[in-house]
Amino acid sequence: MGNSKLGKFILLGALLGGAAALLDRTTRNSLMGTSKKAANEIQYYAKNPETLKQKLVDQKDKFQAAYEQLSGDVSYIKEQVEELKALTPQVKELVTDTKETFADSKEEYETIIKDTQTATS
């Protein structure tokens, strides 16, 4: 029972708020202009339903093309992420191997330099 009163009061408040907003001349003029424009469009499309149908088909095609483009972009990004996930361990291993190789080479160079210094002394 309480909900039915709440709904009635919300509706009454909305109507009173709308009526109060119409006290302003610019709001009334704007509402009248928008209403006339909407009425003219309804009359036009009532007389020319094929135009409305074509407009809706064109809009649908635009949305479908945008969806397909977005879907393709998402698929591409997903593929790139998967490739990066697969590549990351390989890159880490390559960096580790390179570091070890340089460390081993450093020890060999130090040994060669020590041997050369010993031979020349």
Side-chain angles (χ1 to χ4, degrees), residues 51-97:
T51 305
L52 177 61
K53 181 180 176 184
Q54 187 59 43
K55 194 173 187 178
L56 291 174
V57 167
D58 291 345
Q59 195 72 359
K60 178 195 69 100
D61 291 344
K62 285 181 185 178
F63 283 129
Q64 189 171 6
Y67 172 77
E68 289 172 0
Q69 177 69 35
L70 182 62
S71 178
D73 290 348
V74 168
S75 295
Y76 174 76
I77 290 171
K78 185 177 177 181
E79 288 173 9
Q80 294 300 316
V81 167
E82 291 300 322
E83 186 176 321
L84 187 60
K85 283 181 181 178
L87 194 59
T88 301
Q90 294 172 356
V91 170
K92 184 177 177 182
E93 184 178 338
L94 178 65
V95 169
T96 304
D97 289 348

Side-chain angles (χ1 to χ4, degrees), residues 17-60:
L22 289 176
L23 292 175
D24 181 40
R25 180 183 302 269
T26 55
T27 304
R28 282 194 313 268
N29 290 339
S30 174
L31 179 64
M32 290 302 293
T34 303
S35 299
K36 286 179 183 178
K37 184 179 176 185
N40 288 338
E41 284 190 29
I42 289 171
Q43 287 176 352
Y44 174 78
Y45 289 124
K47 292 177 183 175
N48 303 298
E50 287 300 316
T51 305
L52 177 61
K53 181 180 176 184
Q54 187 59 43
K55 194 173 187 178
L56 291 174
V57 167
D58 291 345
Q59 195 72 359
K60 178 195 69 100

